[in-house]
Amino acid sequence: MKKKKILIDINHPAHVHLFKNFIAEMRQKGHLIIIAAKNVKAIKDLLRSYECDYIDMGSKKDQMVAKYFYEFIHVLKLLFVVIAHRIDYGIGVSMALPMVSKVTTMKSFALDDDDLTVTPLFGKAVSLATVILTPHSLAFEDRGKAHICHQSYHELAYLHPKRFKPDPSVLQELGMAPGDTYFILRFNAFKAHHDTAAVGLSLEQKLALVNLLKPYGKLFITTERAIEPELEMFRLPVTPEKIHTLMYHATLFIGDSQTMVSEAALLGTPSVKLNSFAGRLSVPNEIENRYELCYSFLPRDFEAMLQKVSELLAMKDLKNVWRYRQETMLADKIDLTSFLTWFVSNYPHSYAQMKSNTACQYSI
């Protein structure tokens, strides 16, 4: 097998988790991995924790016009990297890599787990990719011949039991033990290009949620941006790479974040989400409706969300029920890292195999 030069474009902290095992396995196979990453503290901290060197792509922007200008510069920087390093393959949840692959010899593998109706601009950019890889939940979308569907979720690249084992030292660091009652709250910043009209939890709602949960156990809050003074006492005091162990053992996970609610749900922790994306995305809808691992509510339904939280707090054997539901989900899904490693290592034969028999992914 010929060794390849592979470029990975990291645009969100979750992408570090998504590709960390892929990076390690592809390097073990002898491939050269180059990482391009946005200058975001959480991204940099995670890459350093996993001892991954990277090329700085600059800081992301909050204002919409500035975002588009940043993406233009991002494309130019990646183009330079691809040419300078003679990159063979580019992979990422990335708008820029597919564009660069259209003007170079690089083949691009674009991962996407959002519906085209919700992220149309991203979808148009991704349509330029050599291969578009999505969860099977999005198989109904017409994405052309380049579309390959896998039976997994992005989060299962790092949270599948083959990849994730809870670290007992994390709970010890907080003076807790498995079985202790505690809750994690996650509050999003909604700064991404597709979040323009997005709405999450207001401060008043956050405080109401805190008051509901406080009598039952400890509270930990994690947030993308500055935390409100009224909530500072609940700030999560551990480094980002430890969050998944805390999620795994938590009694409930509640917030207005997309990715982290899905992560907690797939770890077998009851998860409740309130934001304006509720019910609009096929992947979270499958996790909620088919596997019953989470619940989602629109901002106008905050009282209904509080009622659901109260019901979960009153449920006997809550975590055992969710472990059973998690096992049901895992029986249907594959380890995404193993699939990506196989697919990229064996491309283009892997593409032909998936087109002729999608069931081959279960035997990787």
Side-chain angles (χ1 to χ4, degrees):
M1 180 180 65
K2 184 181 177 182
K3 307 308 179 187
K4 299 294 184 180
K5 294 180 180 178
I6 301 170
L7 174 63
I8 299 176
D9 190 24
I10 304 289
N11 296 290
H12 187 280
H15 301 168
V16 181
H17 295 300
L18 172 57
F19 291 110
K20 65 184 181 183
N21 296 313
F22 173 82
I23 291 168
E25 293 201 356
M26 294 300 276
R27 282 178 170 162
Q28 286 178 358
K29 290 177 177 291
H31 300 291
L32 175 65
I33 302 293
I34 296 174
I35 302 168
K38 280 186 178 177
N39 186 358
V40 175
K41 186 179 185 302
I43 292 175
K44 293 190 297 182
D45 289 347
L46 283 169
L47 287 172
R48 278 195 291 266
S49 72
Y50 298 125
E51 299 181 348
C52 291
D53 294 330
Y54 62 92
I55 299 171
D56 192 328
M57 289 287 111
S59 301
K60 65 178 184 177
K61 310 299 179 184
D62 289 344
Q63 304 234 343
M64 195 53 60
V65 174
K67 281 182 182 294
Y68 291 131
F69 181 73
Y70 169 84
E71 287 301 332
F72 175 70
I73 298 300
H74 188 185
V75 170
L76 293 181
K77 287 182 177 180
L78 284 182
L79 178 60
F80 175 80
V81 172
V82 169
I83 294 172
H85 293 275
R86 298 180 181 179
I87 299 295
D88 297 300
Y89 297 153
I91 185 169
V93 185
S94 169
M95 296 174 67
L97 283 175
M99 297 180 193
V100 172
S101 69
K102 278 297 180 183
V103 295
T104 65
T105 58
M106 179 188 74
K107 305 298 184 185
S108 58
F109 305 97
L111 277 67
D112 190 6
D113 63 353
D114 287 333
D115 296 63
L116 291 173
T117 54
V118 177
T119 58
L121 181 61
F122 187 85
K124 285 181 180 179
V126 163
S127 69
L128 301 174
T130 311
V131 180
I132 304 163
L133 296 161
T134 76
H136 191 265
S137 316
L138 297 171
F140 68 92
E141 292 188 326
D142 181 7
R143 294 190 180 225
K145 294 180 179 179
H147 191 190
I148 294 288
C149 296
H150 55 75
Q151 285 287 4
S152 194
Y153 303 121
H154 285 189
E155 294 80 8
L156 290 182
Y158 51 98
L159 297 181
H160 192 280
K162 291 181 181 177
R163 304 290 169 180
F164 172 77
K165 302 295 179 189
D167 179 358
S169 70
V170 175
L171 289 184
Q172 293 170 8
E173 184 179 334
L174 295 172
M176 297 189 302
D180 286 355
T181 300
Y182 68 93
F183 313 98
I184 300 177
L185 308 183
R186 169 68 175 183
F187 303 134
N188 208 347
F190 293 106
K191 297 293 185 179
H193 67 88
H194 54 265
D195 290 337
T196 310
V199 177
L201 290 160
S202 67
L203 175 59
E204 182 181 3
Q205 290 172 331
K206 292 174 186 177
L207 291 172
L209 191 53
V210 165
N211 289 332
L212 172 63
L213 295 171
K214 271 196 305 187
Y216 293 91
K218 290 185 177 181
L219 278 161
F220 299 107
I221 293 176
T222 172
T223 182
E224 285 185 309
R225 302 296 171 101
I227 197 167
E228 292 93 340
E230 297 92 333
L231 302 172
E232 179 64 38
M233 70 184 77
F234 303 113
R235 182 192 291 275
L236 186 64
V238 299
T239 50
E241 72 274 9
K242 300 176 182 178
I243 187 64
H244 295 121
T245 289
L246 285 175
M247 283 181 172
Y248 177 86
H249 289 292
T251 307
L252 291 174
F253 185 97
I254 307 167
D256 51 19
S257 163
Q258 292 293 116
T259 301
M260 294 187 75
V261 166
S262 293
E263 287 178 330
L266 296 177
L267 283 169
T269 294
S271 304
V272 182
K273 172 182 69 182
L274 182 142
N275 66 30
S276 52
F277 289 113
R280 295 172 60 197
L281 295 167
S282 297
V283 171
N285 286 352
E286 181 177 274
I287 297 171
E288 178 175 0
N289 300 324
R290 182 172 180 176
Y291 299 111
E292 299 181 281
L293 287 166
C294 62
Y295 302 94
S296 62
F297 297 88
L298 291 167
R300 65 172 180 264
D301 298 323
F302 178 69
E303 293 302 321
M305 188 194 84
L306 287 183
Q307 178 60 36
K308 176 55 67 176
V309 171
S310 296
E311 290 174 12
L312 293 171
L313 289 170
M315 186 182 292
K316 293 182 179 179
D317 291 328
L318 179 64
K319 291 289 283 191
N320 289 333
V321 170
W322 253 253
R323 288 282 178 255
Y324 175 79
R325 294 178 182 181
Q326 180 200 29
E327 288 171 6
T328 302
M329 176 273 299
L330 289 171
D332 293 339
K333 301 301 178 184
I334 62 171
D335 165 18
L336 184 58
T337 292
S338 292
F339 174 78
L340 292 176
T341 302
W342 167 79
F343 190 88
V344 175
S345 295
N346 295 282
Y347 182 84
H349 302 295
S350 54
Y351 174 85
Q353 281 184 262
M354 283 294 292
K355 283 297 184 181
S356 64
N357 177 24
T358 59
C360 70
Q361 63 187 289
Y362 288 107
S363 58
I364 294 168

